[in-house]
Amino acid sequence: GESVGLHLPTLSVQEGDNSIINCAYSNSASDYFIWYKQESGKGPQFIIDIRSNMDKRQGQRVTVLLNKTVKHLSLQIAATQPGDSAVYFCAEKYTGNQFYFGTGTSLTVIP
Amino acid sequence: DAGVIQSPRHEVTEMGQEVTLRCKPISGHNSLFWYRQTMMRGLELLIYFNNNVPIDDSGMPEDRFSAKMPNASFSTLKIQPSEPRDSAVYFCASSLAQGSSGYTFGSGTRLTVV
């Protein structure tokens, strides 16, 4: 029979274009957020983080935006490259040292 | 630093057999997490330890699953007896418990129970 699994949101972008990946988080008390990148066959890797007292943070080619009013987080990747193809997860922390992960977005970069 | 080290990378076992997954966290990290990743459920937290003490094991699916952390540099996740539905990728991650910091994940163990 047909297997039922998570329906990962997918995003396809042309190499060189900018990518925007969105995430709706669940808890208004969350005070720390991280974006992770997971390439096929590997564990999730830290990309960038942001604390709740900020609304924007920039890294190398990546920017994270936080909108606490609507509990929304986004990851912007500038000049997307084939090596950026992966599944991207947002994670929120609101208690102890435990992070809660979203279901992920699959990014495919078309050469 | 070698990062979080998991072994084995791949494990294929028959239903009913005992499976032991191993993890060496980053030196100095005092929190350790075991996650399971499947297509059906995504990343699920199974259990986490602070200073070698289990803090939250509510994600452990059933009594067939157990985890130990005998010291700061080693943890095991054991499944006994294993079942086909346990097939998944199991990740170990570690972090500093104090303050806000992210996790560092290992490369995972891909478990297949036939």
Side-chain angles (χ1 to χ4, degrees):
Chain A
E2 186 177 328
S3 64
V4 179
L6 284 175
H7 180 64
L8 273 184
T10 58
L11 176 66
S12 294
V13 298
Q14 208 69 39
E15 181 178 359
D17 287 353
N18 297 333
S19 303
I20 299 176
I21 301 171
N22 297 304
C23 173
Y25 62 91
S26 62
N27 195 315
S28 56
S30 293
D31 59 1
Y32 184 52
F33 305 86
I34 296 179
W35 278 100
Y36 284 90
K37 172 186 180 183
Q38 186 177 21
E39 296 175 273
S40 179
K42 297 183 179 179
Q45 292 178 290
F46 175 100
I47 301 174
I48 190 168
D49 61 354
I50 188 168
R51 300 187 192 282
S52 58
N53 61 352
M54 303 170 68
D55 53 22
K56 181 178 180 179
R57 188 151 192 250
Q58 286 185 291
Q60 187 178 15
R61 281 202 308 118
V62 294
T63 301
V64 56
L65 299 177
L66 174 62
N67 185 331
K68 293 183 288 293
T69 303
V70 294
K71 294 190 290 186
H72 183 267
L73 203 62
S74 69
L75 177 71
Q76 299 177 1
I77 305 173
T80 315
Q81 302 167 0
D84 296 326
S85 294
V87 176
Y88 290 81
F89 295 93
C90 66
E92 62 182 306
K93 184 175 80 70
Y94 51 83
T95 180
N97 192 32
Q98 188 170 340
F99 280 87
Y100 298 85
F101 286 80
T103 53
T105 295
S106 177
L107 173 67
T108 300
V109 180
I110 304 164
Chain B
D1 194 327
V4 175
I5 300 172
Q6 290 187 247
S7 64
R9 284 300 311 271
H10 302 276
E11 176 82 31
V12 180
T13 191
E14 290 186 345
M15 182 173 64
Q17 297 298 306
E18 176 180 298
V19 175
T20 300
L21 312 181
R22 296 173 175 80
C23 176
K24 182 181 188 306
I26 289 175
S27 177
H29 281 188
N30 50 7
S31 290
L32 184 140
F33 306 81
W34 281 101
Y35 279 85
R36 176 171 69 176
Q37 188 174 40
T38 62
M39 285 300 295
M40 294 289 290
R41 296 191 179 87
L43 268 171
E44 300 176 274
L45 177 65
L46 300 177
I47 185 170
Y48 83 93
F49 297 83
N50 273 358
N51 297 315
N52 313 338
V53 176
I55 302 299
D56 183 354
D57 65 353
S58 59
M60 296 285 260
E62 46 196 278
D63 291 346
R64 297 185 297 107
F65 286 68
S66 62
K68 294 182 180 179
M69 192 165 186
N71 57 63
S73 59
F74 184 65
S75 177
T76 59
L77 177 68
K78 187 175 293 188
I79 308 172
Q80 165 64 14
S82 57
E83 296 182 4
R85 61 194 168 120
D86 302 330
S87 297
V89 181
Y90 291 81
F91 287 104
C92 176
S94 70
S95 75
L96 289 169
Q98 300 302 317
S100 293
S101 63
Y103 301 166
T104 300
F105 282 83
S107 298
T109 295
R110 179 173 292 278
L111 174 65
T112 303
V113 183
V114 297

